[in-house]
Amino acid sequence: GPGELGRRSPAIWRRRRQIHLTTLASRARTDDLTRGARTCGRLPRSVAIAIGVHLIVALALLPVAGHPYDIAALTAASEAWLRWGTPLFHQWKFGLDLALISVSAQALRFVLTHVGMGGAAAVLTAWKLPLVIANILVGLTLLDLGRRLRVRQPSVVPVLWLLSPVSVWVAAGHGQVEPLTVLAIVLGLDLLVRRHPAAAGLVTGLGIGVEYLPAIVAVVTALLVYNSVLKVREGLSFALGIVVAVAACFVPGLLSPVGRASLFSGLSSTASVASHPGTGPAAPPVSASVWTLVGVNPGSIWVALALLAGGALVATLAWHSRAASYAVRERAGVLATGGLLLIIVLLDPGGLPQFADLTLGGLCLVALVSPVGSLAIMIGPALQVASAFLFVYGGSFQSYWYNMWATTGNSGWPFPESAAASVWLLRLSVLVVLAGLAMAAARRSPPIPNLIQRASRRSSIVLGVIGLVFIGTWSSQPAFWSGVGTGGPQQLADFTSLAGTVTARLSTSGRVETANFTPPVIAEARTIGPQVPLALQATLPAFHNAEAASSAEPAVHTSLTVRIQGWPYVRANMSSLWVNILLGQRDWSTPSVAHDAPVVLLAGKCSARPAGSTLVSPGWAVYSFTVSSTCVPPAGTFLLRVTENSRQNTSLLWNGSGRSPWSVVYPHTGSASVVLDRRTYRGTFTTSRDGWGAGGIEQVKVNFNDVSLTSHDTVANAMVGGIPATVEGISVHWPSGNRLDHWTGAPALVVVALLYVGGLAGLTFIVWRWLALGPRRRSHVRASAA
């Protein structure tokens, strides 16, 4: 009746109100997710500007900066494969995926050289192009992760990544593979958050083919399965994807003896360098690690400490997030990824400055979950890179730019060097990173005001832009860009020793010398043909040696009679001689002035101009002349005189004494022979002009062809220019060609180059669209569930 309806009406209205509020909340969530899907494809203005600045500075760095020895190590195997047909996995400790990138870069290099770019600049540009693209994709992935984790300002971390001098320098400057490593880690993590474990496994496995650090994503996957963020079935899908990718990367190399030997020796070398950096196990490390702060080298113990610290971090996160909400458990996986990466970097005593990209990536991942200070993210890794500019690899190179163009003689603005300042920058870098992590771990009560946070972000961005302007301005010097054209170096430094030469171990038993080649080298030599060229290093005594400098005589009044013992027999094996003499003139103050001096050598009936000069002290220089063997009379006695190519011949001095002026005469070019396993091989030899002052013993390199290589070759009767020589080393080297398409063919290289550029553009577009359209798919699922 009416009374009962009146008594029940408050409950009915409360129920209807609850249903209405639930419906509004569901619509609000759906609208919010739909709005997020619509705006996810649009880049925030700050991220778009950061990408533009990143690309501009990268373009200034691509062809002119880099570490030529490291880049040669990464690209030499593919270049040798394309040029000579050697095994693709020779001296290769990486996976097939990185090998394919290297081959494609060589194909693009071929195209760039045919449009007017020098060979070294072309390979720098082609190799570092995917590294720069990887940086952009890392920034987009960090943006997507921030949105999915509902970070308050998801664009802050991507902007810090893109505007950091570290990410630009490591990719576009040094040319390291770390950008690909960071991309594999963050993209694999993003795919896990998206609930695409199989794709995450494939990306992680491909990253392991480049560097082994992406394996930490597998540990994070196990944590997410334990926390019920991922189902067990999804964890198995991830495992299947990573196994397939790792097998595709390493099985092709392991199937060949050369690939197996290269992979295992490379891993052993890497482990040795990481465990014992510096001159020995007891030497203090010079790296951005905690060991630099205390000046102690932990040796291989750091690996065990890193495993313990990483295990403790994962166990702690698993324990505290097990009973928490889904969002907290999801964030625990991101925090574990960044934390594991930082643990490895901070505990590795062999962490070089070019690994600062890993430090920056780890800090960015931690900052998505915990408030790491923006200044710590920007300054800490940047100090690590700055230490390399002050003292690169023990002072071997003044800077990366100078070393790139050393063969051309180009040099830019002077750059200071200081080993002590470099070490202190590394220590300060570690302290800044640790301070940022301590701020993130501390519970702030009360929290930092927004005004201070905003000032910190803006100041860090300003510092990053200042660093980028410095790098871009320094790389724009005309002295560097003049070497980018065809007049610049055509080959990276140390390419021959990395890919073109294999040295045997030389052992001596009595008077018998044996060259021992390893079985992989024999197999490799037979893959490119039954016979390979042989290089013999030997020492050769000089024909004449008078290196005592006592008094100076006018050069026009001084002459030297040289008599070569056994010349009638030696002459048939000699093409030319080197004649080195020590001359002086008061105004020779710099090498360039001494080199331009008008000096002429009269040897018998011939005259020769200097082939080179070396300033040994102010006013004195050693001049090297090439004298043809036809200038020496059949008896082997000829007269040397020095004159100036000018009207006045009174200022030039010849050091030594009147009877025996300072001079060295030794073979330059000619024929040689060697008995190898009772078979005589004939070849040619050349000595260098800069061997003066070595006590009359010169290092010569003899090249032989048509050598049948065996594992144990007995070397005997080495005759260089008809003179018995002492064998110092023996090696095989692959035939060199001037063109990269020595056997591959230009059409094939052009097609590969087009596929390379098109593949990079397509991958960038796919990842971009994937990051943009992903939330729309998940919004439907969440709306239906709601």
Side-chain angles (χ1 to χ4, degrees), residues 577-673:
L577 307 175
W578 275 123
V579 178
N580 287 344
I581 57 178
L582 179 61
L583 298 176
Q585 204 169 54
R586 184 168 297 176
D587 58 349
W588 293 350
S589 57
T590 61
S592 60
V593 173
H595 179 72
D596 296 333
V599 180
V600 178
L601 176 70
L602 302 177
K605 297 181 180 181
C606 304
S607 63
R609 296 184 180 276
S613 65
T614 302
L615 187 70
V616 295
S617 65
W620 294 98
V622 172
Y623 286 86
S624 301
F625 301 87
T626 304
V627 178
S628 174
S629 61
T630 59
C631 298
V632 183
T637 301
F638 65 112
L639 186 68
L640 298 180
R641 294 180 65 90
V642 181
T643 182
E644 285 182 311
N645 189 17
S646 61
R647 295 180 179 180
Q648 296 182 355
N649 299 323
T650 58
S651 60
L652 190 63
L653 300 177
W654 192 342
N655 207 333
S657 66
R659 298 183 56 186
S660 180
W662 197 104
S663 55
V664 182
V665 180
Y666 58 95
H668 175 214
T669 59
S671 60
S673 63

Side-chain angles (χ1 to χ4, degrees), residues 104-352:
S104 302
Q106 293 293 345
L108 181 58
R109 169 202 183 176
F110 171 79
V111 175
L112 293 177
T113 53
H114 280 70
V115 297
M117 186 177 285
V123 73
L124 286 173
T125 303
W127 167 255
K128 294 188 289 190
L129 184 61
L131 307 180
V132 175
I133 293 177
N135 274 345
I136 303 301
L137 296 181
V138 168
L140 295 175
T141 308
L142 290 173
L143 176 64
D144 185 69
L145 272 174
R147 284 169 168 170
R148 292 183 176 278
L149 297 177
R150 299 185 181 276
V151 176
R152 183 179 179 183
Q153 291 181 325
S155 62
V156 172
V157 172
V159 168
L160 293 176
W161 167 268
L162 292 168
L163 293 183
S164 173
V166 174
S167 59
V168 178
W169 168 250
V170 174
H174 196 288
Q176 284 289 110
V177 298
E178 271 63 36
L180 298 175
T181 303
V182 177
L183 176 61
I185 292 174
V186 298
L187 186 57
L189 184 62
D190 186 67
L191 289 170
L192 287 177
V193 174
R194 288 171 169 268
R195 307 295 291 272
H196 294 287
L202 290 174
V203 170
T204 304
L206 294 175
I208 293 175
V210 175
E211 203 173 45
Y212 308 111
L213 283 178
I216 64 177
V217 181
V219 179
V220 175
T221 303
L223 172 64
L224 295 177
V225 171
Y226 174 80
N227 279 342
S228 301
V229 175
L230 297 176
K231 299 178 181 179
V232 176
R233 174 175 55 83
E234 293 174 321
L236 295 177
S237 298
F238 175 87
L240 179 61
I242 195 173
V243 168
V244 170
V246 170
C249 289
F250 292 102
V251 168
L254 293 174
L255 292 178
S256 66
V258 175
R260 286 197 300 271
S262 300
L263 178 61
F264 294 146
S265 63
L267 293 178
S268 175
S269 175
T270 300
S272 176
V273 171
S275 300
H276 306 295
T279 58
V286 182
S287 62
S289 65
V290 294
W291 311 110
T292 304
L293 295 176
V294 295
V296 176
N297 193 331
S300 57
I301 300 178
W302 81 269
V303 179
L305 295 177
L307 291 175
L308 290 175
L313 174 66
V314 174
T316 302
L317 292 175
W319 176 264
H320 286 284
S321 63
R322 175 66 173 172
S325 63
Y326 180 89
V328 173
R329 286 176 281 146
E330 195 175 45
R331 288 175 172 234
V334 178
L335 183 60
T337 307
L340 290 174
L341 191 57
L342 289 174
I343 285 174
I344 295 174
V345 171
L346 292 175
L347 291 181
D348 182 7
L352 298 174

Side-chain angles (χ1 to χ4, degrees), residues 534 536-538 540 569-570 572-575 667-675 680-687 700-705 716-725:
L534 181 74
L536 187 72
Q537 292 83 34
L540 193 66
Y569 170 76
V570 173
N573 302 290
M574 200 69 56
S575 298
H668 175 214
T669 59
S671 60
S673 63
V674 65
V675 177
T680 301
Y681 296 93
R682 302 189 183 279
T684 59
F685 75 90
T686 303
T687 58
V700 298
K701 184 176 182 181
V702 189
N703 296 328
F704 301 95
N705 295 320
N717 300 334
M719 302 291 292
V720 179
I723 306 172

Side-chain angles (χ1 to χ4, degrees), residues 712-729:
H712 302 284
D713 293 327
T714 303
V715 186
N717 300 334
M719 302 291 292
V720 179
I723 306 172
T726 303
V727 178
E728 297 291 336

